[in-house]
Amino acid sequence: MNEICYEKVMTQAGKNQILIFCHSRAECAKTAAALRDMAVDKDTINHFISEGTATSEILREESERASNADLKDLLAYGFAIHHAGMTRDDRNMVEDLYSE
C-alpha cells in the first residue's frame, strides 16, 4: 500500500502540498517514514525538500524543537505528521508550517 501511496504522492511532489489520512496514530508515523525512506532510496527526496534553501533550514530548526520523536525525525526531509496524540505545540507547529 505504501508503494501505491508513494506513486500517487510523486505525481504532486514539488507542485502541491500533500495531505494523507491514516487510520491510526501509529500508522501515521509509519506511513510518513515509509514514504520518506522510499524518496531517499529512489533519489527523489529533492522533490520534497532542496538542501541549502531557506525552507530546509526552517524545517531543520523546527525539527529540533519538536517533542514528538517521529516528527523530529521527519521534518528535515519535508515530511510531517499530525494527530491527537501529539502535544498541542507540535500540532500547532505542523499546522503553521503547512499553512505557509
Side-chain angles (χ1 to χ4, degrees):
M1 184 61 101
N2 286 335
E3 185 66 39
I4 293 168
C5 189
Y6 172 80
E7 290 171 14
K8 296 294 184 185
V9 164
M10 289 309 299
T11 66
Q12 296 300 311
K15 301 174 197 168
N16 297 299
Q17 293 180 343
I18 303 157
L19 185 63
I20 300 168
F21 289 90
C22 299
H23 70 278
S24 72
R25 295 172 186 178
E27 284 301 311
C28 184
K30 286 180 187 177
T31 300
L35 295 173
R36 186 256 339 255
D37 292 346
M38 280 186 243
V40 169
D41 292 345
K42 295 173 187 260
D43 200 28
T44 58
I45 196 68
N46 62 327
H47 291 266
F48 299 95
I49 191 77
S50 298
E51 282 299 314
T53 62
T55 300
S56 68
E57 185 58 33
I58 290 167
L59 292 177
R60 194 175 345 275
E61 289 172 5
E62 293 295 329
S63 70
E64 292 173 9
R65 75 179 190 94
S67 60
N68 180 283
D70 295 316
L71 181 60
K72 189 179 286 280
D73 181 51
L74 292 164
L75 268 180
Y77 294 91
F79 290 79
I81 57 173
H82 187 285
H83 57 71
M86 296 168 59
T87 65
R88 172 46 57 195
D89 286 343
D90 281 355
R91 286 183 283 154
N92 284 342
M93 177 188 358
V94 171
E95 291 165 11
D96 290 345
L97 289 168
Y98 190 80
S99 69
E100 293 175 7

